[in-house]
């Protein structure tokens, strides 16, 4: 299958940017050399970075009140893969796609896998959906799914998750992410301990169906749609459940699923210390679960998270293999552009974290030199590694400036012609 965007156009765009990129790269290389850093090694390291794309993220998201469809939105999973193919072609940092069932349920898994391979894509973790009722569903999830009082509803939710595992196996996935919106909106609505007991009982049924080489990722969320008491509301509950289930159960950290000003990097350190840090859903937020582009609000927090991840990698070596995925809701931007920018921002934090002088930092910490300890991190964070990221993309056959190349291609306008919007605006809520 040919690339979604003409390779000649990408090469032409790169040629225009080449002179400035070479000059910026040389200047940064000289500065890093004086700090004892090899820019070539850093560029090669940047080329190894990968973050998964959410299939649902290439469509326009919504709010609890309305959704305003964008031009040329994908209408099925095959068109979602094409858009994901564009993102990976131009960034070389997003080689896998995370599917959401039943939204993306294929009639022929082998065909879907073949199409993905044509775009040089594979499949990351699969995601179950028991936070809304589906067409033809026998039992409602209005009052809960994995925690429902109804044994029939719980069994239905468990069966759906097992079906997701089977679909994932056929696609080459190695993990299942389980997020539930179960909880209570009023005091007394349900027994708080009883709800968690039912959750664990349901999850044990799903866990038993996991292949030996699979992981289950438990995703917590502070609030929404259950506002009074969400069943899996924090990392402590997630950790307790993952520990109770077994070694194949890990905790997934979504950066938007915490109260404002929460020290997420410390959560990362704690979960890693006890062997339960499974992965991340990257996004950004100002107030709550805003699902904004990664690095758009608090890039320093993103850097600090990767600083902790670098420490974990140094301590645990190759045994530490976290799962990374972007998880955003694009309401006012082109989803492809936002996802490309987010992939680059997460990659940026990854590279910046390797610039931390860990020997010096450890010495400052041992000496209780608070100021210099903090400056050791700021020194790395303030380093603009944009030339490294751009050079890594060019050497991987991607675009020096992905957004510029994308806009020059006219891809969105062409997609709008081939994918006419349905009449009327959807009233569906948050993705």
């Amino acid at each position: 299958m040919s690339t979604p965007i003409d390779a000649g156009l990408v090469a032409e765009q790169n040629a225009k940017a080449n002179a400035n990129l070479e000059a910026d790269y040389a200047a940064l290389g000289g500065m890093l050399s004086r700090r004892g850093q090899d820019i070539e090694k850093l560029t090669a390291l940047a080329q190894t970075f990968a973050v998964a794309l959410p299939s649902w993220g290439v469509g326009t998201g919504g709010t609890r009140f309305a959704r305003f469809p964008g031009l040329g939105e994908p209408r099925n999973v095959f068109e979602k893969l094409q858009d994901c193919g564009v993102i990976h072609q131009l960034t070389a940092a997003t080689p896998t796609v995370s599917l959401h069932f039943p939204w993306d349920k294929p009639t022929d898994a082998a065909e879907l896998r073949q199409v993905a391979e044509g775009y040089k894509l594979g499949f990351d973790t699969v995601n179950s959906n028991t936070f809304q009722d589906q067409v033809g569903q026998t039992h409602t999830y209005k009052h809960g799914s994995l925690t429902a009082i109804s044994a029939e509803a719980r069994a239905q939710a468990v069966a759906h998750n097992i079906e997701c595992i089977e679909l994932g196996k056929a696609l080459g996935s190695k993990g299942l992410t389980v997020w539930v919106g179960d909880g209570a909106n009023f005091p007394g609505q349900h027994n708080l301990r009883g709800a968690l007991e039912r959750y664990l009982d349901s999850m044990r049924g799903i866990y038993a169906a996991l292949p030996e080489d699979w992981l289950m990722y438990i995703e917590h969320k502070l609030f929404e749609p259950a506002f009074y008491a969400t069943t899996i509301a924090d990392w402590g509950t997630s950790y307790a459940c993952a520990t109770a289930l077994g070694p194949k159960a890990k905790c997934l950290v979504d950066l938007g699923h915490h109260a404002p000003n929460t020290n997420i990097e410390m959560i990362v350190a704690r979960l890693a210390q006890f062997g339960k840090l499974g992965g991340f859903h990257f996004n950004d937020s100002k107030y709550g679960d805003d699902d904004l582009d990664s690095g758009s609000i608090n890039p320093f927090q993103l850097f600090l998270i990767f600083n902790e991840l670098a420490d974990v990698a140094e301590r645990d070596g190759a045994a530490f293999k976290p799962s990374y995925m972007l998880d955003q809701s694009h309401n006012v931007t082109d989803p492809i552009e936002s996802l490309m920018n987010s992939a680059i921002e997460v990659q940026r934090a990854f590279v910046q974290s390797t610039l931390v002088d860990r020997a010096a930092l450890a010495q400052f910490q041992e000496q209780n030199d608070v100021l210099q300890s903090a400056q050791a991190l700021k020194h790395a964070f303030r380093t603009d590694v944009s030339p490294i990221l751009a050079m890594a993309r060019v050497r991987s056959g991607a675009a020096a400036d992905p957004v510029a190349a994308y806009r020059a291609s006219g891809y969105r306008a062409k997609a709008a012609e081939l994918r006419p919007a349905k009449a009327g605006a959807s009233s569906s809520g948050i993705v």
Side-chain angles (χ1 to χ4, degrees):
M1 185 178 295
S2 61
T3 53
I5 291 178
D6 180 63
L9 181 140
V10 176
E12 180 183 327
Q13 291 288 312
N14 286 349
K16 292 178 181 178
N18 183 64
N20 288 339
L21 175 57
E22 290 287 355
D24 292 344
Y25 189 77
L28 178 60
M31 186 265 284
L32 290 174
S33 178
R34 292 190 293 275
R35 288 163 51 176
Q37 296 275 3
D38 184 343
I39 194 170
E40 288 297 321
K41 289 183 179 179
L42 291 168
T43 304
L45 183 65
Q47 288 180 275
T48 69
F49 181 80
V51 59
L53 293 168
S55 63
W56 58 98
V58 289
T60 304
T63 71
R64 291 195 296 120
F65 305 101
R67 177 179 177 275
F68 302 95
L71 293 175
E73 286 190 320
R75 300 162 298 179
N76 54 56
V77 67
F78 294 101
E79 291 178 350
K80 291 177 181 179
L81 286 180
Q82 184 180 46
D83 287 0
C84 289
V86 170
I87 297 166
H88 184 52
Q89 179 188 357
L90 297 180
T91 66
T94 57
T96 56
V97 179
S98 186
L99 297 184
H100 215 301
F101 302 129
W103 296 340
D104 302 316
K105 183 178 178 179
T107 55
D108 186 335
E111 178 191 13
L112 188 63
R113 191 170 183 175
Q114 184 178 21
V115 170
E117 290 171 354
Y119 294 125
K120 298 182 179 179
L121 296 171
F123 291 103
D124 197 72
T125 57
V126 293
N127 302 263
S128 59
N129 180 343
T130 61
F131 52 83
Q132 63 182 160
D133 289 346
Q134 307 299 330
V135 176
Q137 183 174 309
T138 304
H139 305 284
T140 184
Y141 295 137
K142 180 176 182 178
H143 299 295
S145 58
L146 297 179
T147 73
I149 296 293
S150 166
E152 291 80 7
R154 294 199 305 275
Q156 177 181 266
V158 170
H160 167 65
N161 277 274
I162 294 175
E163 179 188 26
C164 291
I165 293 171
E166 293 304 312
L167 286 169
K169 285 164 59 179
L171 293 168
S173 174
K174 295 293 183 182
L176 170 72
T177 296
V178 181
W179 174 77
V180 293
D182 293 14
N185 281 301
F186 290 89
Q189 182 177 337
H190 66 203
N191 182 282
L192 298 178
R193 178 169 174 173
L196 190 60
E197 289 171 344
R198 292 191 295 275
Y199 171 85
L200 278 170
D201 183 64
S202 297
M203 288 290 276
R204 289 188 183 99
I206 301 168
Y207 186 92
L210 289 172
E212 285 303 312
D213 58 347
W214 271 51
L215 292 176
M216 170 192 285
Y217 300 93
I218 300 175
E219 183 177 1
H220 63 273
K221 187 174 184 180
L222 179 65
F223 66 92
E224 193 187 43
F227 286 87
Y228 169 69
T230 297
T231 302
I232 309 297
D234 52 61
W235 71 273
T237 305
S238 175
Y239 170 79
C241 291
T243 301
L245 289 169
K248 288 186 286 186
K250 302 288 185 179
C251 300
L252 187 145
V253 179
D254 185 306
L255 271 60
H257 288 188
H258 305 85
N261 302 317
T262 295
N263 191 330
I264 299 176
E265 55 269 30
M266 188 168 73
I267 295 173
V268 172
R270 295 290 181 266
L271 290 175
Q273 180 176 353
F274 297 111
K276 283 299 182 182
L277 181 61
F280 294 85
H281 281 182
F282 291 110
N283 50 56
D284 213 334
S285 66
K286 177 68 175 177
Y287 299 104
D289 189 17
D290 302 350
D291 273 340
L292 300 175
D293 293 7
S294 299
S296 61
I297 300 294
N298 195 347
F300 189 49
Q301 180 188 63
L302 185 59
F303 163 79
L304 292 174
I305 288 169
F306 271 95
N307 177 61
E308 292 303 323
L309 291 172
D311 181 74
V312 179
E314 189 175 85
R315 290 169 179 266
D316 298 348
F320 181 58
K321 298 177 181 179
S323 174
Y324 295 153
M325 191 193 84
L326 302 174
D327 187 7
Q328 305 167 187
S329 181
H330 312 103
N331 304 319
V332 293
T333 61
D334 182 318
I336 289 177
E337 293 185 358
S338 274
L339 285 167
M340 288 194 297
N341 271 342
S342 290
I344 292 168
E345 289 308 304
V346 177
Q347 185 185 36
R348 182 189 307 279
F350 165 71
V351 174
Q352 287 174 320
S353 70
T354 68
L355 299 179
V356 175
D357 187 336
R358 303 211 167 272
L361 176 60
Q363 187 175 25
F364 293 142
Q365 291 169 340
E366 289 172 5
Q367 295 170 348
N368 292 316
D369 191 333
V370 179
L371 181 67
Q372 288 298 87
S373 295
Q375 288 303 308
L377 297 183
K378 282 291 188 71
H379 193 45
F381 173 67
R382 291 183 180 127
T383 304
D384 185 1
V385 297
S386 296
I388 292 175
L389 305 182
M391 189 63 75
R393 288 193 294 274
V394 170
R395 291 180 181 178
S396 296
D401 186 336
V403 172
Y406 170 72
R407 292 188 175 186
S409 74
Y411 179 86
R412 179 59 65 190
K414 296 172 187 175
E417 292 179 3
L418 297 172
R419 309 170 185 172
K422 295 180 180 179
S426 168
S427 60
S428 60
I430 280 179
V431 172

